[in-house]
Amino acid sequence: MNVPDAAAPLHAYLFADPAAHSLSPRMHAAAFHAAGLGGTYEARRVPAAELGAALASLRAPGVLGANLSLPHKEAALPLLDDLSAAARAIGAVNTVVHRDGRLHGDNTDAPGLLAALDDAGFDWTPGAQAVVLGAGGAARAAVYAALVLGEQKVWVVNRTPARAQALAQSFPAPDRPVAAAPAADVPWAEISLVINASSAGLDAPDQTPLDAAFLARLPAHALVYDMVYKPRDTRLMRDARALGLKAENGLGMLAHQARLAFAQWTGAEVPVSVFVEALGADGVPA
Ligand SMILES: NC(=O)c1ccc[n+]([C@@H]2O[C@H](COP(=O)([O-])OP(=O)(O)OC[C@H]3O[C@@H](n4cnc5c(N)ncnc54)[C@H](OP(=O)(O)O)[C@@H]3O)[C@@H](O)[C@H]2O)c1
């Protein structure tokens, strides 16, 4: 267990700006309780200019680490002592782990997504291809996850094509290429997995990142995974289900990335159901 001194109070943080609406405090409070550890998790609004000082404060005894969210996920990279392979490849850190005065940067979004896909019953088949919608930090984690999964080719489709191009070019995987394309150029019949990693649909029940006409070209076994979880049923998910396709929202990923961060901080393997239940029906509007 990565607990510096079992008698000392344990602390973990979220550094973000804004931070007030995060669902992470309730998940980690439930996890500390379930693990039988007396610990606190506090969401702190940290403006970009104060990230260095906030990270330095994590080196104190009793501090387990922190989650990072917008706008710090990329900016933190050069400020940490070492990085996991996932954090380096994705170019973003969402979890900082404090061990003996050193700060280790990791990214639990990609393994969190993989665990959520597994829970959703995603049945990977050799030769399959994936589509990632979006070109921000979440899309980078999604592309990385799709490559780990073994997808033969990953298509990046984004509202601003130049950003999709830049993302695709930054993943050197010649054997399993990452390509930017407009939706019209994607071979939809070959696609087994569509991941919405754009913020289209977030707090916008009628907004979708993808015209339903493209969903209609997907094979029947394809899974549509929407990282958005507010609302719980996005327009993309509703369109996919209306076509008989399987669709899931991003709550599972949110819960799993938290579970994985908590395990790194404390060594405690708390079941994902604890994190899911902590999100509660009231936390995320239906
Ligand atoms: N479930 C989870 O655990 C989890 C984890 C991480 C992120 N997320 C979610 O993933 C989403 C993206 O996060 P991020 O950090 O990558 O954000 P980001 O860096 O701000 O990127 C946003 C992306 O969404 C695209 N976009 C925004 N509005 C759009 C619209 N109306 N139509 C089409 N595309 C649109 C942007 O396109 P342009 O390039 O054209 O601006 C950009 O590619 C957010 O909704 C976030 O909540 C969920």
Short mmCIF file of all heavy atoms in Angstrom, two decimals, residues 70 73 109 134-139 158-160 163 197-200 202 207 227-229 250 253-254 257, ligand 1:
data_model
loop_
_atom_site.label_atom_id
_atom_site.label_comp_id
_atom_site.label_asym_id
_atom_site.label_seq_id
_atom_site.Cartn_x
_atom_site.Cartn_y
_atom_site.Cartn_z
N LEU A 70 -8.90 19.82 -16.79
CA LEU A 70 -8.67 21.05 -17.56
C LEU A 70 -8.33 22.21 -16.63
O LEU A 70 -8.97 22.35 -15.60
CB LEU A 70 -9.93 21.40 -18.36
CG LEU A 70 -10.20 20.56 -19.61
CD1 LEU A 70 -11.55 20.93 -20.22
CD2 LEU A 70 -9.10 20.74 -20.65
N LYS A 73 -3.89 19.02 -17.71
CA LYS A 73 -3.47 17.66 -18.07
C LYS A 73 -2.19 17.62 -18.91
O LYS A 73 -1.37 16.72 -18.75
CB LYS A 73 -4.59 16.93 -18.81
CG LYS A 73 -5.73 16.46 -17.91
CD LYS A 73 -6.73 15.67 -18.73
CE LYS A 73 -7.78 15.03 -17.85
NZ LYS A 73 -8.69 14.16 -18.60
N ASP A 109 -7.22 7.55 -17.87
CA ASP A 109 -8.37 7.67 -18.78
C ASP A 109 -8.39 6.51 -19.79
O ASP A 109 -9.45 5.93 -20.05
CB ASP A 109 -8.33 9.00 -19.55
CG ASP A 109 -8.87 10.15 -18.71
OD1 ASP A 109 -9.63 9.90 -17.75
OD2 ASP A 109 -8.53 11.31 -19.01
N GLY A 134 -13.46 13.60 -32.31
CA GLY A 134 -12.83 14.60 -31.45
C GLY A 134 -11.32 14.58 -31.63
O GLY A 134 -10.77 13.61 -32.18
N ALA A 135 -10.66 15.62 -31.17
CA ALA A 135 -9.21 15.69 -31.34
C ALA A 135 -8.55 16.39 -30.16
O ALA A 135 -7.43 16.89 -30.28
CB ALA A 135 -8.87 16.41 -32.64
N GLY A 136 -9.20 16.40 -29.00
CA GLY A 136 -8.61 16.99 -27.80
C GLY A 136 -7.93 15.91 -26.97
O GLY A 136 -7.58 14.84 -27.46
N GLY A 137 -7.74 16.20 -25.67
CA GLY A 137 -7.05 15.27 -24.78
C GLY A 137 -7.77 13.92 -24.65
O GLY A 137 -7.14 12.87 -24.62
N ALA A 138 -9.09 13.97 -24.56
CA ALA A 138 -9.86 12.72 -24.43
C ALA A 138 -9.70 11.87 -25.68
O ALA A 138 -9.63 10.64 -25.60
CB ALA A 138 -11.33 13.04 -24.17
N ALA A 139 -9.65 12.53 -26.83
CA ALA A 139 -9.48 11.79 -28.09
C ALA A 139 -8.10 11.12 -28.14
O ALA A 139 -7.97 9.99 -28.62
CB ALA A 139 -9.66 12.74 -29.28
N ASN A 158 -12.92 14.89 -36.78
CA ASN A 158 -13.10 16.05 -35.90
C ASN A 158 -13.69 17.23 -36.65
O ASN A 158 -13.48 17.39 -37.85
CB ASN A 158 -11.75 16.45 -35.28
CG ASN A 158 -11.92 17.50 -34.20
OD1 ASN A 158 -12.76 17.36 -33.31
ND2 ASN A 158 -11.14 18.57 -34.26
N ARG A 159 -14.41 18.06 -35.90
CA ARG A 159 -15.04 19.26 -36.48
C ARG A 159 -14.00 20.13 -37.17
O ARG A 159 -14.23 20.64 -38.27
CB ARG A 159 -15.73 20.04 -35.34
CG ARG A 159 -16.40 21.30 -35.76
CD ARG A 159 -17.10 21.94 -34.58
NE ARG A 159 -16.16 22.35 -33.52
CZ ARG A 159 -16.51 22.93 -32.39
NH1 ARG A 159 -17.79 23.15 -32.15
NH2 ARG A 159 -15.62 23.28 -31.50
N THR A 160 -12.84 20.29 -36.55
CA THR A 160 -11.75 21.05 -37.16
C THR A 160 -10.74 20.05 -37.73
O THR A 160 -9.96 19.45 -36.97
CB THR A 160 -11.05 21.96 -36.11
OG1 THR A 160 -12.05 22.77 -35.49
CG2 THR A 160 -10.00 22.84 -36.74
N ARG A 163 -6.95 19.74 -36.66
CA ARG A 163 -6.62 19.16 -35.33
C ARG A 163 -6.63 17.63 -35.40
O ARG A 163 -5.84 16.97 -34.74
CB ARG A 163 -7.62 19.67 -34.28
CG ARG A 163 -7.47 21.14 -33.97
CD ARG A 163 -8.26 21.51 -32.72
NE ARG A 163 -7.65 20.99 -31.51
CZ ARG A 163 -8.30 20.77 -30.37
NH1 ARG A 163 -9.61 21.02 -30.31
NH2 ARG A 163 -7.69 20.31 -29.32
N ALA A 197 -15.19 11.14 -28.31
CA ALA A 197 -14.29 11.82 -27.38
C ALA A 197 -14.35 13.32 -27.63
O ALA A 197 -13.45 14.05 -27.22
CB ALA A 197 -12.87 11.29 -27.54
N SER A 198 -15.38 13.76 -28.32
CA SER A 198 -15.60 15.20 -28.46
C SER A 198 -16.55 15.64 -27.37
O SER A 198 -17.18 14.81 -26.70
CB SER A 198 -16.21 15.52 -29.84
OG SER A 198 -17.61 15.33 -29.81
N SER A 199 -16.68 16.95 -27.17
CA SER A 199 -17.64 17.40 -26.16
C SER A 199 -19.00 17.70 -26.77
O SER A 199 -19.87 18.24 -26.08
CB SER A 199 -17.07 18.58 -25.38
OG SER A 199 -16.39 19.45 -26.21
N ALA A 200 -19.20 17.33 -28.03
CA ALA A 200 -20.53 17.50 -28.63
C ALA A 200 -21.53 16.63 -27.88
O ALA A 200 -21.28 15.46 -27.65
CB ALA A 200 -20.49 17.11 -30.10
N LEU A 202 -22.46 17.30 -24.78
CA LEU A 202 -22.30 17.60 -23.35
C LEU A 202 -23.27 18.72 -22.96
O LEU A 202 -23.20 19.82 -23.54
CB LEU A 202 -20.85 18.02 -23.07
CG LEU A 202 -20.51 18.44 -21.64
CD1 LEU A 202 -20.69 17.28 -20.67
CD2 LEU A 202 -19.10 18.98 -21.56
N GLN A 207 -27.64 17.63 -29.45
CA GLN A 207 -26.44 17.82 -30.27
C GLN A 207 -25.72 16.48 -30.47
O GLN A 207 -25.65 15.68 -29.55
CB GLN A 207 -25.51 18.79 -29.54
CG GLN A 207 -24.38 19.33 -30.38
CD GLN A 207 -23.55 20.32 -29.57
OE1 GLN A 207 -23.02 19.97 -28.51
NE2 GLN A 207 -23.46 21.53 -30.04
N MET A 227 -18.15 9.14 -24.49
CA MET A 227 -17.48 9.56 -23.24
C MET A 227 -18.33 10.56 -22.46
O MET A 227 -18.14 10.75 -21.27
CB MET A 227 -16.14 10.20 -23.55
CG MET A 227 -15.05 9.22 -23.89
SD MET A 227 -13.48 10.11 -23.74
CE MET A 227 -12.40 8.95 -24.53
N VAL A 228 -19.25 11.23 -23.16
CA VAL A 228 -20.14 12.18 -22.48
C VAL A 228 -21.09 11.39 -21.59
O VAL A 228 -21.53 10.29 -21.94
CB VAL A 228 -20.91 13.01 -23.54
CG1 VAL A 228 -21.99 13.86 -22.88
CG2 VAL A 228 -19.95 13.89 -24.34
N TYR A 229 -21.38 11.94 -20.39
CA TYR A 229 -22.33 11.27 -19.50
C TYR A 229 -23.38 12.23 -18.95
O TYR A 229 -24.17 11.87 -18.08
CB TYR A 229 -21.59 10.57 -18.34
CG TYR A 229 -20.53 11.42 -17.70
CD1 TYR A 229 -20.87 12.38 -16.76
CD2 TYR A 229 -19.20 11.28 -18.08
CE1 TYR A 229 -19.90 13.18 -16.20
CE2 TYR A 229 -18.22 12.08 -17.52
CZ TYR A 229 -18.58 13.02 -16.58
OH TYR A 229 -17.62 13.82 -16.02
N GLY A 250 -20.42 7.63 -20.85
CA GLY A 250 -19.07 7.67 -20.28
C GLY A 250 -18.98 7.47 -18.77
O GLY A 250 -17.89 7.60 -18.21
N MET A 253 -16.43 4.77 -17.78
CA MET A 253 -15.04 5.24 -17.91
C MET A 253 -14.68 6.16 -16.75
O MET A 253 -13.59 6.06 -16.16
CB MET A 253 -14.87 5.98 -19.24
CG MET A 253 -13.52 6.61 -19.43
SD MET A 253 -13.44 7.45 -21.03
CE MET A 253 -11.87 8.31 -20.85
N LEU A 254 -15.60 7.06 -16.41
CA LEU A 254 -15.37 7.99 -15.30
C LEU A 254 -15.10 7.22 -14.01
O LEU A 254 -14.16 7.53 -13.25
CB LEU A 254 -16.59 8.89 -15.14
CG LEU A 254 -16.49 9.97 -14.07
CD1 LEU A 254 -15.51 11.05 -14.49
CD2 LEU A 254 -17.87 10.59 -13.81
N GLN A 257 -11.65 5.22 -14.28
CA GLN A 257 -10.42 6.03 -14.18
C GLN A 257 -10.19 6.45 -12.73
O GLN A 257 -9.05 6.50 -12.27
CB GLN A 257 -10.40 7.23 -15.16
CG GLN A 257 -11.47 8.29 -14.99
CD GLN A 257 -11.23 9.24 -13.81
OE1 GLN A 257 -10.09 9.46 -13.41
NE2 GLN A 257 -12.29 9.77 -13.25
N1 LIG B 1 -16.11 9.74 -19.30
C1 LIG B 1 -14.94 10.18 -18.90
O1 LIG B 1 -14.34 9.66 -17.95
C2 LIG B 1 -14.29 11.30 -19.64
C3 LIG B 1 -12.91 11.54 -19.50
C4 LIG B 1 -12.32 12.59 -20.22
C5 LIG B 1 -13.13 13.38 -21.03
N2 LIG B 1 -14.46 13.12 -21.12
C6 LIG B 1 -15.32 13.94 -21.99
O2 LIG B 1 -14.75 13.98 -23.29
C7 LIG B 1 -15.09 15.21 -23.93
C8 LIG B 1 -13.86 15.85 -24.54
O3 LIG B 1 -12.94 16.20 -23.52
P1 LIG B 1 -11.53 16.91 -23.89
O4 LIG B 1 -10.85 17.11 -22.61
O5 LIG B 1 -10.83 16.17 -24.97
O6 LIG B 1 -12.04 18.30 -24.47
P2 LIG B 1 -11.29 19.30 -25.48
O7 LIG B 1 -9.82 19.12 -25.41
O8 LIG B 1 -11.90 20.63 -25.21
O9 LIG B 1 -11.77 18.81 -26.94
C9 LIG B 1 -13.09 18.95 -27.33
C10 LIG B 1 -13.27 18.29 -28.69
O10 LIG B 1 -14.68 18.28 -28.97
C11 LIG B 1 -14.89 18.89 -30.24
N3 LIG B 1 -16.18 19.56 -30.22
C12 LIG B 1 -16.61 20.47 -29.31
N4 LIG B 1 -17.87 20.86 -29.60
C13 LIG B 1 -18.23 20.19 -30.72
C14 LIG B 1 -19.42 20.17 -31.51
N5 LIG B 1 -20.47 20.93 -31.21
N6 LIG B 1 -19.46 19.34 -32.58
C15 LIG B 1 -18.39 18.57 -32.90
N7 LIG B 1 -17.23 18.56 -32.19
C16 LIG B 1 -17.16 19.35 -31.11
C17 LIG B 1 -13.74 19.83 -30.45
O11 LIG B 1 -13.60 20.06 -31.84
P3 LIG B 1 -12.69 21.27 -32.40
O12 LIG B 1 -11.28 20.72 -32.47
O13 LIG B 1 -13.29 21.54 -33.73
O14 LIG B 1 -12.82 22.41 -31.42
C18 LIG B 1 -12.59 19.01 -29.84
O15 LIG B 1 -12.11 18.05 -30.76
C19 LIG B 1 -15.77 16.06 -22.85
O16 LIG B 1 -17.17 15.96 -23.03
C20 LIG B 1 -15.36 15.40 -21.56
O17 LIG B 1 -16.32 15.56 -20.53
C21 LIG B 1 -15.06 12.11 -20.45
#
